[in-house]
Amino acid sequence: MNRIFSFLRSVYRNRHDLVDQPRFLTYTVTFGCNARCIMCDSWKMPAKGDLTLDEVDRIFAQLPVMDAVRLTGGEPFVRRDFAEIGAIVQKRLKPLVLHITTNGFLTDRIVSYCEQRDRSVPLQMLVSIDGVGEKHNTVRGSSHAWNSVMDTIKVLAPRQKDLRLRLGVNQTIVDAEGADHYQKLKEVLRPFGVHNNVVMAYDMSATYNMEKNVDVAPTEIGQFSTFGEFTDKALKELLDSVEQDLKFLSFGERMAKRYYLQGIRNRLLKKQGTPNPKCVALNAHLRIFPNGDVPTCQFNSKTIGNLREQPFQEIWSSLAAKEQRTWVKKCPGCWAECEVLPSAIYTLDLLKPRLTK
């Protein structure tokens, strides 16, 4: 009951522009990465100065209990102490679900973590595959990317139940050829019972940027600039196919994905900026960078403080936090899934498309 009450309280406060305590954490454990993706500059960024385990434990002890924690990178598994980070997350933050994104290169390390972790918390793992064979290798900038990630899929897919794991593939669509590979990848994954989720690559990110304190957020409602170029026909065919395949997902996943795809379709094909939920960045959604910085969001890396240097509540109630929350309220809205879905959930805007159909 306490979880339900806290969730409803969070929804109320976010819908009424009141400051909330975070309920959803995105922790970038490192910017270090063993891939060289064409749509991401994380691998170009310094992979030093990451929080130590003692610092992670001290910081997370200050945070409220979370509904969900997303651990990402860079590539999170390049940290040899990643298993210990995961254990601290579960001990201190007590999430209802743990979410990890990985490129799947380090098969042995990934499988070992899944086997040895405390399985009292369900694990959702999204493995990045952006096309079949050489297409994936090209996007990820590695000649062994395809073989490595498929090794990971082959080992984990049959063991999802005993590992308390929900395994999926995150297919980032970077260009028209990538869109054509949606059906091909779906057929490759079918024997493993793994679904490929689609996200559209946007052209720029403040998070994965060599410059600090960058604001690359949209300047008008409905603005969405893709990384690659697409014809309307190709986009429509892709989105139609993806939406038809939503029937294979669970009810909650289906709702979330339909919401995201509706926003993509409206922005790219209809030039409409709906849905457009109130953003919960620096409210229900907290981001932490590898060095302890607390940024505003995916598209604005201006920080409100550093958790290595200041207590959480001091940062959360600071003048810098107030200023950036004012910026968030004025933002016309992005459509990156990692920002949109927390906002849709913690304002219950996620229900609107379903109720109005």
Side-chain angles (χ1 to χ4, degrees):
M1 288 300 293
N2 286 340
R3 291 274 192 171
I4 295 173
F5 175 79
S6 295
F7 171 75
L8 293 176
R9 177 182 180 277
S10 184
V11 170
Y12 177 86
R13 297 189 70 82
N14 282 285
R15 288 177 66 92
H16 290 83
D17 295 322
L18 301 173
V19 178
D20 190 24
Q21 289 292 298
R23 307 294 306 173
F24 187 108
L25 170 64
T26 297
Y27 173 34
T28 305
V29 303
T30 184
F31 284 128
C33 192
N34 50 0
R36 300 291 183 267
C37 300
I38 61 175
M39 69 290 192
C40 176
D41 287 338
S42 182
W43 57 275
K44 300 177 183 178
M45 300 170 70
K48 57 183 179 180
D50 295 348
L51 295 172
T52 66
L53 289 179
D54 286 344
E55 289 174 324
V56 172
D57 187 61
R58 175 177 58 80
I59 290 168
F60 284 13
Q62 303 173 41
L63 301 182
V65 168
M66 297 288 168
D67 297 326
V69 175
R70 178 197 291 138
L71 300 178
T72 185
E75 168 50 40
F77 285 97
V78 301
R79 283 196 62 157
R80 293 184 178 277
D81 58 359
F82 179 79
E84 288 82 359
I85 293 174
I88 292 171
V89 167
Q90 293 189 205
K91 174 185 176 183
R92 293 297 190 184
L93 304 181
K94 299 177 172 54
L96 298 175
V97 63
L98 180 62
H99 181 100
I100 298 173
T101 56
T102 174
N103 61 30
F105 285 16
L106 300 172
T107 301
D108 290 345
R109 201 176 293 180
I110 295 168
V111 172
S112 176
Y113 169 74
C114 291
E115 291 177 335
Q116 297 178 20
R117 75 181 190 92
D118 176 3
R119 299 177 203 173
S120 62
V121 176
L123 171 61
Q124 294 180 346
M125 182 176 287
L126 278 183
V127 182
S128 299
I129 308 181
D130 305 317
V132 175
E134 284 306 311
K135 177 59 180 177
H136 180 62
N137 289 345
T138 299
V139 174
R140 294 284 153 174
S142 169
S143 61
H144 62 80
W146 172 255
N147 289 336
S148 296
V149 75
M150 287 308 299
D151 285 344
T152 301
I153 294 290
K154 290 173 184 176
V155 175
L156 290 180
R159 302 187 58 191
Q160 292 183 75
K161 185 175 181 180
D162 74 274
L163 294 176
R164 208 179 181 198
L165 166 68
R166 172 70 168 168
L167 186 65
V169 162
N170 206 49
Q171 183 181 1
T172 303
I173 305 297
V174 299
D175 53 25
E177 184 183 14
D180 288 340
H181 274 241
Y182 171 72
Q183 294 291 349
K184 297 176 183 178
L185 182 57
K186 183 176 74 172
E187 292 307 313
V188 170
L189 296 173
R190 188 188 300 276
F192 303 103
V194 175
H195 182 80
N196 51 321
N197 303 282
V198 161
V199 293
M200 298 298 299
Y202 37 84
D203 64 342
M204 192 175 296
S205 166
T207 298
Y208 303 108
N209 198 304
M210 296 295 288
E211 296 183 35
K212 295 183 177 180
N213 297 317
V214 176
D215 176 0
V216 295
T219 57
E220 58 186 55
I221 294 175
Q223 185 179 15
F224 188 105
S225 298
T226 57
F227 178 83
E229 295 184 2
F230 304 86
T231 64
D232 285 356
K233 181 175 182 293
L235 281 171
K236 185 177 185 306
E237 289 177 352
L238 172 65
L239 295 174
D240 286 348
S241 296
V242 175
E243 288 178 357
Q244 288 174 8
D245 292 334
L246 293 182
K247 60 181 178 288
F248 299 111
L249 300 180
S250 67
F251 176 74
E253 291 173 320
R254 192 161 61 245
M255 282 187 66
K257 204 64 189 182
R258 182 176 288 124
Y259 183 93
Y260 170 73
L261 292 172
Q262 182 183 23
I264 287 290
R265 184 184 292 274
N266 286 348
R267 282 160 174 78
L268 297 183
L269 295 178
K270 299 181 181 180
K271 310 306 177 187
Q272 298 175 359
T274 57
N276 195 37
K278 285 188 175 183
C279 184
V280 300
L282 294 181
N283 273 306
H285 188 189
L286 167 67
R287 285 182 175 270
I288 301 177
F289 277 172
N291 68 345
D293 279 343
V294 178
T296 302
C297 68
Q298 176 80 318
F299 295 99
N300 187 335
S301 59
K302 186 169 183 178
T303 61
I304 63 170
N306 183 283
L307 291 165
R308 176 180 263 154
E309 302 167 356
Q310 300 167 266
F312 168 72
Q313 288 298 343
E314 178 181 303
I315 292 174
W316 205 241
S317 59
S318 66
L319 177 60
K322 182 178 179 180
E323 291 174 346
Q324 287 308 108
R325 289 189 184 106
T326 298
W327 178 92
V328 169
K329 291 175 185 178
K330 293 179 179 178
C331 179
C334 69
W335 205 253
E337 189 177 47
C338 59
E339 293 288 355
V340 165
L341 290 186
S343 295
I345 291 168
Y346 286 99
T347 60
L348 287 185
D349 200 75
L350 184 66
L351 299 180
K352 286 185 178 179
R354 182 174 178 81
L355 292 174
T356 55
K357 279 193 173 183

